[in-house]
Amino acid sequence: MRRRDEKFPENGFEDGGGYMQVKIAKLEAQFSSCAGKEVIRLSNIFNGVSIYVNGFTKPSAEELKELMAQHGGVYHTYQRSNDYIIASNLPDTKVKNMSLSKVVKPEWISDSIAANSLLDYRKYLLYKNSRTQPQLNFNKLTATNIKTDESHIKDEKDNIELNLKYNNSDKQINEMLGANTNVSTTDTKPALNKVNTNDCIAKTAVDPNFISEFYNNSRLHHISQLGAFFKQHVNDLRDASDFSFPARATLKSKILSSGTSLVADTNFDNGKVIIHIDMDCFFVSVGLRKRPELRGKPVAVTHSKGSKPQTKREGVDRNTEFNLYKQKQAKKLGKVTGIKEDEIVFESRVDNVGDEDSEYGSLSEIASCSYEARAKGIKNGMFMGPALKLCPNLQTIPYDFDGYKEVAYTLYNTIAQYTLDIEAVSCDEMYVDCTELLKDLKVSVQDFATALREEIKDKTGCPCSTGFGSNRLQSRLATKRAKPDGQFFLTSDLVEDFMFGITLKDLPGVGRQTSQKLESLGHQTCGSLQTLTLGLLQRHLGNKTGAQLFDQCRGRDPNPLTFHTIRKSVSAEVNYGIRFETNDQCFLFLKQLSAEVHSRMQHFKVLGKCITLKLMVRAEEAPVETAKFMGHGFCNVLNKSTNLTNATNDVEIITKEVISLCKKQKINPKELRGTSCDVKNQIKVEDNTKNPVTPKKKSISLSMNKSPKHGIKSSPVKRRGRPPKSLKNSLTIAKSGMDKFLAGEIQVKEELPVQTVPEIIQDEKPKRADSNPDGLMSLSWEKVRELLRAWLDSGQAPKLCDTRMIATYLSKLVAKKDIDKVYILMNFLKRRTHEIGLDIWIEVYNYVLEDVQNSMIAVYGKKLWINN
């Protein structure tokens, strides 16, 4: 076996210390050459002074570069440890992650030149406090200040009865609960907890029981919770499984006994077989199990009972409010398409909605409708008023959340009998990679699909459709062709012709604005869009969207399925019933909203660093009384965020920050119509009380000392060669998010979990003296990111000194506990080196990974999670 040093051949940069050092030296040589030949030396004011410009400044970076050359200083393109950082402003994330002791305003340069002497830089510090990471020191709020009885809240959540009382009918509450709502919490002053109308007395967000009633009846809350629940359910199934599937034998026998298919087996690109399973009209199908007499009729699931007109409320001006919505949408479309706003024609949900006292005036939303209703032009998300105009005999049925959960459980558990390569999408939709399953069963795809659909229908009483393709895009589009209650196979020989006729609106991620933009360019189908080059698409739609559509219109989708889902944020929102009179009422509500977020964070075992408060404020031109009873109406939306120094789920800290963000906006509480609290960039907290995970057959990944056959080795192992694969249940960052970060579009504030593993002893390897003792640590994080990308894209064979430099840099980041940056770079390095596909680059990744994991063990006693 070759030594690690021998795995990296010469690449032409050896004499300069490697690609990284050569790149830096080249830039500095360019500056020295410019300073010596092209610029007239005017003075030596900045002799011995070097600067690095961070962000926009006045004078500009180029001007400062020339000034330093003229007056004896040094300008560094990449930051060094002894540089003065010249900046006029720094974002909060940079302030929290860098030393501020030498961050100086650009006036220091110009004033020193004017004075013809080097002035004291301390008078020009951008920040007077040089502490890098100031500690949060919130005053603890007393228990009496935050009245949140979690057991009481839980009991209220479990209550499934409708508690809102009306004088004559439940029509108004059905209208109310059609609003776009997620979650809510309240505290109260009882004297102001109700809104009186001609027909009803409705509770507002200041009522102490509002939260429980809202939870029990908010359709979007239940739907979103069901989706999150079944994503976690798949995680739990994978955690508990040994990845053996005895039910496969029964399924195979059933398929063979029914007779083999006469159709030749199908071929898919790259040998991958992805199935998309989607229940047909899910809410309707579940509801019809109790109402079989409605089968074959136009049916809609909604809170509304029908077309009974409501008494017109004083102050309601639907025309004004609806026009404001349409003007806002037209403005967005005009900006995207370049068409004048008054020339844009588009369909809106508020079209054909009657007045409040009209039989077609209902603003209750249709969650799901049958195919018979769709044949009449009714769509999911349509308001009941326009729907009744299209279909006066439309039948309505209520929500059955218990039924949805029961059927969804059955669906997921049925698939889990045969494979756990499942990506959960929602309670009624999933993707499944059945490549390995079909190889094991040795049956045709057609027979498998038929048997699976029959089993799901027999067990649930509800039909489903399935689409098969070589990737998620193809399988999803195939399902559209299969509906209702059918199956379709988008084989490799059909893809080209099939995609040619697909309308662009049917592509995932293509919304109204994008489709309008493409339509303005003369393209409505994938076949038409295929005539545009990648460059032209990117010029019109941006690099990411352009590249995505270039692939999608040809049936390509490089994104693999995600079998293990990590919750990225926890939020609580309510945009119904927000009616405050005083700031105290608003702040009390925000306390309980924060308490709800805290409760959810505890449930999901996550911490967060970025807190965002969204406030919906009535627009000045909008009517005070909203078209939807107690809805939010036309609003201006304010989003304000704060970043904590340390990740937390402390309810007092969250509450303090949320209320502080609200106070800073100085909003009249009477104008508030909606609010939400969102906590992002959380980490998963390990529950050390649980038993250790036993070895699993065919698990997604195994730790270094695990083996499917031999289990966990009990003693530390001195390891050579290939380092460990990523650990099971790894934290995932979406590829698109990684690309955004590496393109500099987003910044990372995430702290990451680590996994306990047996201790590993690192190989001894000689250390080469570096010409720059600080190595990459002397550069800013952004510059290291750029250098790493350039190195991987250079086309040169990697050199050992470069590899060591990266490994040393990441190990030092571990020592500094900048684990978020380590995580991002390690996953990027893994993805890119495996995309290159050469053994030498795989060795680079393995080399770096081994050093990083050993550093993690030394610092934390645990290993870093890496994506699969």
Side-chain angles (χ1 to χ4, degrees):
M1 179 183 292
R2 292 189 300 173
R3 293 171 55 87
R4 292 177 71 182
D5 294 15
E6 297 172 352
K7 295 176 182 178
F8 303 99
E10 295 185 353
N11 64 359
F13 291 105
E14 290 76 14
D15 294 338
Y19 179 88
M20 309 288 183
Q21 294 287 7
V22 169
K23 181 70 174 176
I24 296 170
K26 179 180 178 182
L27 291 170
E28 293 183 354
Q30 289 175 351
F31 174 81
S32 300
S33 174
C34 173
K37 295 181 180 180
E38 300 177 12
V39 178
I40 300 174
R41 179 70 62 86
L42 300 178
S43 73
N44 288 314
I45 295 173
F46 298 109
N47 186 30
V49 174
S50 61
I51 68 168
Y52 164 76
V53 179
N54 194 322
F56 173 80
T57 59
K58 246 185 172 183
S60 67
E62 283 300 315
E63 291 173 312
L64 290 172
K65 180 178 181 180
E66 185 174 352
L67 290 174
M68 293 302 287
Q70 290 174 343
H71 297 278
V74 176
Y75 176 96
H76 282 153
T77 304
Y78 294 95
Q79 184 185 340
R80 295 295 183 89
S81 58
N82 61 339
D83 286 347
Y84 290 90
I85 301 172
I86 308 299
S88 296
N89 184 40
L90 290 176
D92 187 56
T93 50
K94 287 187 179 180
V95 172
K96 291 182 177 180
N97 291 287
M98 64 188 296
S99 173
L100 305 177
S101 60
K102 296 177 73 175
V103 179
V104 186
K105 299 175 184 177
E107 289 81 2
W108 177 52
I109 304 294
S110 54
D111 288 357
S112 294
I113 293 173
N116 200 28
S117 65
L118 185 63
L119 301 179
D120 187 351
Y121 75 92
R122 290 172 294 184
K123 295 180 180 180
Y124 294 87
L125 288 174
L126 186 60
Y127 298 96
K128 299 300 181 183
N129 184 358
S130 63
R131 292 179 61 190
T132 303
Q133 301 258 345
Q135 295 297 313
L136 294 174
N137 186 22
F138 294 113
N139 294 325
K140 295 293 183 180
L141 302 179
T142 62
T144 56
N145 288 336
I146 304 177
K147 300 179 180 179
T148 55
D149 183 345
E150 293 186 7
S151 62
H152 169 71
I153 292 176
K154 183 179 184 302
D155 292 339
E156 290 293 334
K157 288 179 184 177
D158 294 336
N159 176 17
I160 61 172
E161 298 297 327
L162 181 62
N163 294 322
L164 297 178
K165 305 300 182 183
Y166 287 84
N167 288 346
N168 59 359
S169 76
D170 61 356
K171 171 72 175 181
Q172 205 70 51
I173 180 61
N174 291 330
E175 292 287 310
M176 171 193 82
L177 292 170
N180 292 329
T181 53
N182 286 328
V183 286
S184 70
T185 58
T186 60
D187 212 326
T188 182
K189 288 188 178 178
L192 296 170
N193 67 355
K194 292 181 174 64
V195 171
N196 293 289
T197 72
N198 294 333
D199 296 317
C200 64
I201 300 176
K203 294 179 180 178
T204 69
V206 294
D207 187 280
N209 296 320
F210 181 86
I211 179 175
S212 60
E213 295 164 358
F214 183 85
Y215 268 122
N216 292 334
N217 297 282
S218 169
R219 66 183 181 89
L220 292 186
H221 164 64
H222 282 281
I223 293 169
S224 64
Q225 287 298 92
L226 280 174
F229 180 86
F230 284 100
K231 289 177 182 179
Q232 183 59 44
H233 183 54
V234 172
N235 291 350
D236 295 340
L237 288 172
R238 292 182 68 89
D239 289 345
S241 176
D242 62 358
F243 289 82
S244 62
F245 304 98
R248 288 184 180 182
T250 305
L251 177 63
K252 183 174 182 178
S253 298
K254 178 182 177 181
I255 293 174
L256 295 178
S257 63
S258 63
T260 58
S261 173
L262 298 177
V263 182
D265 205 359
T266 50
N267 295 316
F268 296 90
D269 290 337
N270 303 318
K272 275 279 188 183
V273 185
I274 306 297
I275 177 176
H276 178 244
I277 303 175
D278 193 10
M279 303 297 287
D280 295 330
C281 305
F282 182 57
F283 288 2
V284 173
S285 297
V286 174
L288 291 182
R289 297 190 307 170
K290 297 178 181 178
R291 300 286 302 276
E293 72 278 7
L294 295 180
R295 294 186 186 278
K297 297 180 179 180
V299 178
V301 178
T302 177
H303 280 297
S304 177
K305 294 294 185 183
S307 59
K308 181 180 177 182
Q310 298 299 298
T311 302
K312 196 167 184 178
R313 291 175 288 129
E314 185 178 352
V316 174
D317 187 350
R318 288 194 169 191
N319 287 335
T320 298
E321 187 172 320
F322 292 168
N323 283 335
L324 289 172
Y325 279 117
K326 296 192 73 172
Q327 288 171 15
K328 183 178 181 180
Q329 188 62 44
K331 186 175 182 179
K332 289 182 179 179
L333 293 174
K335 186 176 180 180
V336 170
T337 61
I339 303 174
K340 293 181 179 179
E341 294 177 25
D342 56 356
E343 297 178 0
I344 294 178
V345 179
F346 61 93
E347 293 183 3
S348 169
R349 289 202 307 163
V350 297
D351 292 341
N352 301 316
V353 175
D355 237 344
E356 197 171 11
D357 55 354
S358 164
E359 61 179 320
Y360 304 118
S362 174
L363 287 173
S364 184
E365 294 182 52
I366 294 174
S368 180
C369 57
S370 65
Y371 284 101
E372 292 78 11
R374 296 181 188 190
K376 302 287 185 179
I378 298 173
K379 301 176 182 178
N380 293 349
M382 182 179 283
F383 290 129
M384 271 295 293
L388 288 170
K389 282 186 178 181
L390 295 171
C391 182
N393 63 334
L394 180 65
Q395 304 291 314
T396 63
I397 58 177
Y399 293 92
D400 180 8
F401 295 114
D402 289 339
Y404 306 150
K405 193 170 185 178
E406 172 200 337
V407 172
Y409 253 128
T410 305
L411 169 65
Y412 274 89
N413 290 339
T414 298
I415 304 302
Q417 296 177 100
Y418 309 123
T419 182
L420 286 173
D421 292 340
I422 301 170
E423 179 181 310
V425 178
S426 65
C427 56
D428 67 322
E429 182 184 3
M430 68 175 75
Y431 293 97
V432 184
D433 187 340
C434 51
T435 308
E436 183 271 333
L437 169 60
L438 287 169
K439 287 180 180 179
D440 188 27
L441 292 177
K442 295 181 175 63
V443 298
S444 71
V445 179
Q446 293 94 333
D447 291 335
F448 168 73
T450 302
L452 191 63
R453 287 180 48 249
E454 287 177 354
E455 182 176 0
I456 292 171
K457 192 170 186 177
D458 289 343
K459 289 182 175 179
T460 65
C462 301
C464 75
S465 297
T466 57
F468 289 78
S470 65
N471 56 50
R472 69 166 72 235
L473 172 66
Q474 291 181 13
S475 62
R476 180 173 177 174
L477 294 175
T479 305
K480 287 181 178 290
R481 179 69 64 88
K483 285 182 174 290
D485 195 15
Q487 56 198 40
F488 185 79
F489 308 92
L490 188 50
T491 52
S492 55
D493 57 316
L494 299 178
V495 172
E496 185 175 352
D497 291 339
F498 178 87
M499 293 303 303
F500 194 85
I502 295 294
T503 60
L504 295 173
K505 291 181 180 179
D506 287 335
L507 295 178
V510 178
R512 173 180 286 172
Q513 293 185 36
T514 303
S515 62
Q516 287 275 0
K517 175 69 173 179
L518 293 170
E519 190 172 336
S520 70
L521 298 174
H523 302 281
Q524 297 185 31
T525 66
C526 288
S528 175
L529 199 66
Q530 288 175 13
T531 62
L532 299 184
T533 64
L534 174 60
L536 192 59
L537 273 174
Q538 290 180 322
R539 187 157 62 250
H540 286 294
L541 301 172
N543 289 340
K544 181 184 174 184
T545 303
Q548 177 179 313
L549 279 173
F550 185 82
D551 283 338
Q552 284 185 329
C553 70
R554 292 166 171 79
R556 304 170 190 162
D557 187 350
N559 300 315
L561 300 189
T562 302
F563 304 140
H564 189 87
T565 305
I566 298 295
R567 195 175 180 99
K568 302 265 183 208
S569 66
V570 175
S571 62
E573 178 176 0
V574 57
N575 52 26
Y576 164 80
I578 300 295
R579 298 295 188 273
F580 300 125
E581 292 291 329
T582 67
N583 282 322
D584 287 342
Q585 291 177 353
C586 176
F587 298 154
L588 286 171
F589 176 82
L590 290 177
K591 286 180 181 179
Q592 289 202 10
L593 190 68
S594 301
E596 176 60 30
V597 173
H598 162 72
S599 176
R600 291 176 169 224
M601 294 178 75
Q602 285 189 317
H603 174 74
F604 290 107
K605 298 179 182 177
V606 297
L607 306 178
K609 293 182 69 175
C610 179
I611 298 174
T612 300
L613 177 67
K614 182 177 80 171
L615 298 174
M616 302 182 72
V617 185
R618 182 183 70 87
E620 185 177 355
E621 63 272 29
V624 176
E625 280 296 325
T626 55
K628 182 184 283 289
F629 175 68
M630 295 296 289
H632 56 76
F634 187 76
C635 293
N636 296 321
V637 179
L638 302 177
N639 287 289
K640 298 297 177 182
S641 300
T642 184
N643 293 298
L644 306 179
T645 303
N646 300 306
T648 183
N649 65 355
D650 190 313
V651 66
E652 297 180 7
I653 293 177
I654 295 171
T655 302
K656 183 89 171 179
E657 291 299 319
V658 167
I659 293 178
S660 175
L661 287 171
C662 184
K663 286 181 177 179
K664 289 178 182 178
Q665 307 316 307
K666 298 180 180 179
I667 295 170
N668 183 348
K670 295 181 180 180
E671 303 302 322
L672 276 178
R673 293 293 183 267
T675 182
S676 75
C677 174
D678 180 273
V679 182
K680 292 190 177 78
N681 300 326
Q682 72 283 355
I683 63 173
K684 191 160 187 175
V685 181
E686 289 298 315
D687 185 353
N688 295 323
T689 62
K690 294 182 179 180
N691 294 328
V693 179
T694 55
K696 294 177 172 57
K697 183 180 179 182
K698 297 181 182 177
S699 62
I700 35 178
S701 59
L702 301 168
S703 67
M704 180 181 290
N705 288 333
K706 282 187 180 180
S707 166
K709 296 181 179 179
H710 305 295
I712 301 177
K713 296 181 180 180
S714 58
S715 59
V717 177
K718 185 172 182 178
R719 188 174 176 84
R720 291 186 178 273
R722 189 176 183 85
K725 293 182 179 179
S726 57
L727 294 170
K728 190 174 178 293
N729 302 332
S730 62
L731 179 66
T732 60
I733 290 182
K735 181 178 181 292
S736 61
M738 183 72 73
D739 290 338
K740 281 184 178 180
F741 174 82
L742 290 161
E745 296 175 26
I746 60 173
Q747 294 182 349
V748 175
K749 295 167 263 186
E750 188 164 7
E751 292 189 7
L752 304 164
V754 289
Q755 175 77 24
T756 304
V757 294
E759 182 181 359
I760 307 299
I761 300 176
Q762 184 179 6
D763 285 346
E764 292 295 328
K765 56 179 182 285
K767 301 291 184 181
R768 181 179 64 85
D770 207 325
S771 58
N772 180 4
D774 292 327
L776 294 177
M777 294 301 293
S778 64
L779 305 181
S780 67
W781 158 243
E782 291 80 6
K783 297 302 181 183
V784 173
R785 182 184 63 201
E786 293 172 8
L787 275 176
L788 183 58
R789 287 182 67 119
W791 182 48
L792 290 164
D793 296 338
S794 66
Q796 299 287 337
K799 185 182 172 220
L800 179 59
C801 63
D802 287 328
T803 307
R804 276 182 177 165
M805 186 181 293
I806 291 294
T808 301
Y809 172 73
L810 290 169
S811 296
K812 288 182 178 180
L813 287 183
V814 172
K816 291 179 62 179
K817 300 189 177 179
D818 282 342
I819 308 302
D820 50 354
K821 297 174 183 176
V822 177
Y823 181 80
I824 290 294
L825 287 181
M826 283 305 302
N827 281 281
F828 171 67
L829 184 64
K830 178 178 181 180
R831 179 167 62 84
R832 285 294 292 117
T833 53
H834 284 72
E835 285 175 355
I836 293 172
L838 299 177
D839 289 343
I840 186 64
W841 282 105
I842 303 300
E843 291 294 343
V844 167
Y845 170 73
N846 292 338
Y847 185 103
V848 174
L849 178 65
E850 184 173 353
D851 278 11
V852 168
Q853 297 293 32
N854 284 325
S855 298
M856 288 293 298
I857 292 171
V859 175
Y860 294 96
K862 301 177 181 180
K863 293 178 79 174
L864 181 73
W865 276 353
I866 304 293
N867 286 344
N868 285 323

